[in-house]
């Protein structure tokens, strides 16, 4: 009987990856949703772009690992961080041995637009437009699409849009965030009425300085910590 006992299979390796969203100004002067990618320097998928991530340290909390990925990749800290999903299909890395199987715990994070300009960029770390990605390593295109859907769906019932902005903002700036994330054009009048009816923002009594015409009113988010 003893010679029939099989050795237990090895456990899969665990990794943490992070989809990091921010808004950056494109060539036309408009805001577009962007995320940083890192170039792989070893097989599999050598020289292909991938999401920032790496092995989970034995002493590291999952969310701490995701925050570390963001800090090491961009030099920034997230304004918002949420666990997205676990990705572990058997064909994530074609040709790899069973013992090389990796299950990735994926987080998604938001970085403020005003901070994005200070982010780290190099030959192996670059920002890409979220809707214009190349073919990424592993299943990372699927992961980004999953994260995009989560962000866009959550924008409809939460105050995530405010996290892309400074504490005080105009309604036009808030509308630009929605347009950039959802990749649509919104009617300014309808948007103003909808936002004011929701009560998600409140006027500060201050106005934006340095404008040529009548300065627009500045707003702040109400109950920012709720529904996020």
């Amino acid at each position: 009987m003893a010679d029939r006992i099989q050795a237990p299979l090895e456990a899969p390796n665990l990794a943490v990856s992070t989809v990091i969203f921010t808004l950056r100004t494109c060539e036309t002067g408009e805001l577009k949703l962007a995320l940083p990618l890192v170039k792989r320097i070893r097989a599999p998928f050598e020289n292909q772009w991938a999401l920032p991530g790496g092995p989970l340290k034995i002493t590291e909390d999952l969310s701490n690992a995701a925050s570390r990925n963001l800090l090491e990749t961009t030099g920034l800290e997230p304004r918002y961080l949420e666990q997205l999903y676990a990705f572990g299909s058997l064909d994530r890395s074609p040709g790899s041995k069973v013992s090389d199987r990796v299950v990735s715990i994926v987080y998604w994070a938001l970085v403020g637009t005003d901070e994005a300009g200070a982010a780290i960029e190099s030959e192996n770390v670059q920002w890409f437009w979220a809707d214009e990605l190349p073919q990424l390593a592993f299943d990372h295109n699927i992961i980004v699409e999953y994260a995009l859907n989560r962000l866009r769906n959550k924008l409809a019932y939460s105050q995530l849009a405010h996290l892309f902005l400074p504490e005080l903002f105009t309604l036009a700036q808030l509308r630009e965030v929605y347009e950039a994330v959802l990749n649509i054009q919104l009617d300014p009048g309808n948007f103003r009425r909808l936002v004011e009816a929701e009560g998600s923002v409140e006027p500060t009594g201050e106005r934006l300085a340095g404008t040529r015409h009548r300065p627009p009113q500045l707003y702040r988010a109400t109950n920012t910590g709720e529904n996020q």
Side-chain angles (χ1 to χ4, degrees):
M1 291 292 293
D3 58 348
R4 296 182 183 179
I5 298 176
Q6 296 182 345
L9 294 175
E10 294 183 25
N13 301 299
L14 287 178
V16 175
S17 297
T18 311
V19 185
I20 304 163
F21 291 121
T22 194
L23 294 176
R24 293 169 69 89
T25 304
C26 66
E27 296 82 358
T28 63
E30 298 176 320
L31 291 178
K32 291 181 67 173
L33 194 63
L35 69 157
L37 298 173
V38 297
K39 183 179 291 186
R40 289 185 56 81
I41 59 175
R42 62 177 65 88
F45 301 104
E46 185 175 0
N47 292 323
Q48 278 191 249
W49 294 99
L51 292 168
L56 177 66
K57 298 178 181 179
I58 193 67
T59 58
E60 194 171 29
D61 180 81
L62 286 171
S63 60
N64 289 343
S67 295
R68 174 178 55 80
N69 286 340
L70 190 152
L71 185 63
E72 291 176 351
T73 304
T74 67
L76 303 173
E77 296 184 7
R79 290 188 176 184
Y80 181 82
L81 183 69
E82 179 185 324
Q83 190 175 126
L84 179 67
Y85 202 69
F87 294 83
S89 63
L90 293 174
D91 59 351
R92 294 189 72 222
S93 182
S96 296
K97 298 180 295 183
V98 173
S99 59
D100 294 332
R101 182 187 178 190
V102 177
V103 174
S104 289
I105 311 299
V106 180
Y107 280 75
W108 63 290
L110 302 183
V111 171
T113 304
D114 55 340
E115 301 166 329
I120 296 172
E121 289 190 69
S122 68
E123 181 181 352
N124 293 321
V125 179
Q126 294 182 22
W127 291 84
F128 290 78
W129 303 124
D131 288 310
E132 303 171 18
L133 296 181
Q135 182 61 47
L136 306 182
F138 305 104
D139 52 0
H140 289 188
N141 288 89
I142 295 173
I143 293 175
V144 173
E145 182 178 357
Y146 200 102
L148 269 173
N149 288 335
R150 176 73 64 86
L151 170 61
R152 286 167 172 163
N153 289 334
K154 200 159 187 175
L155 208 66
Y157 63 85
S158 72
Q159 296 192 24
L160 285 182
H162 304 135
L163 298 181
F164 287 108
L165 296 168
E167 181 182 0
L168 304 183
F169 50 84
T170 68
L171 290 185
Q173 290 171 331
L174 181 60
R175 175 170 50 82
E176 287 177 350
V177 170
Y178 277 88
E179 290 179 336
V181 173
L182 300 176
N183 199 22
I184 60 174
Q185 293 293 313
L186 298 171
D187 178 77
N190 289 339
F191 180 79
R192 172 183 288 273
R193 286 189 289 272
L194 178 62
V195 170
E196 291 178 343
E198 288 179 344
S200 60
V201 299
E202 60 184 10
T204 63
E206 301 178 45
R207 293 187 176 274
L208 184 67
T211 57
R212 182 174 297 181
H213 303 290
R214 186 170 183 266
Q217 187 165 200
L218 290 170
Y219 290 77
R220 68 165 60 91
T222 59
N223 302 319
T224 308
E226 296 182 4
N227 299 322
Q228 290 182 8

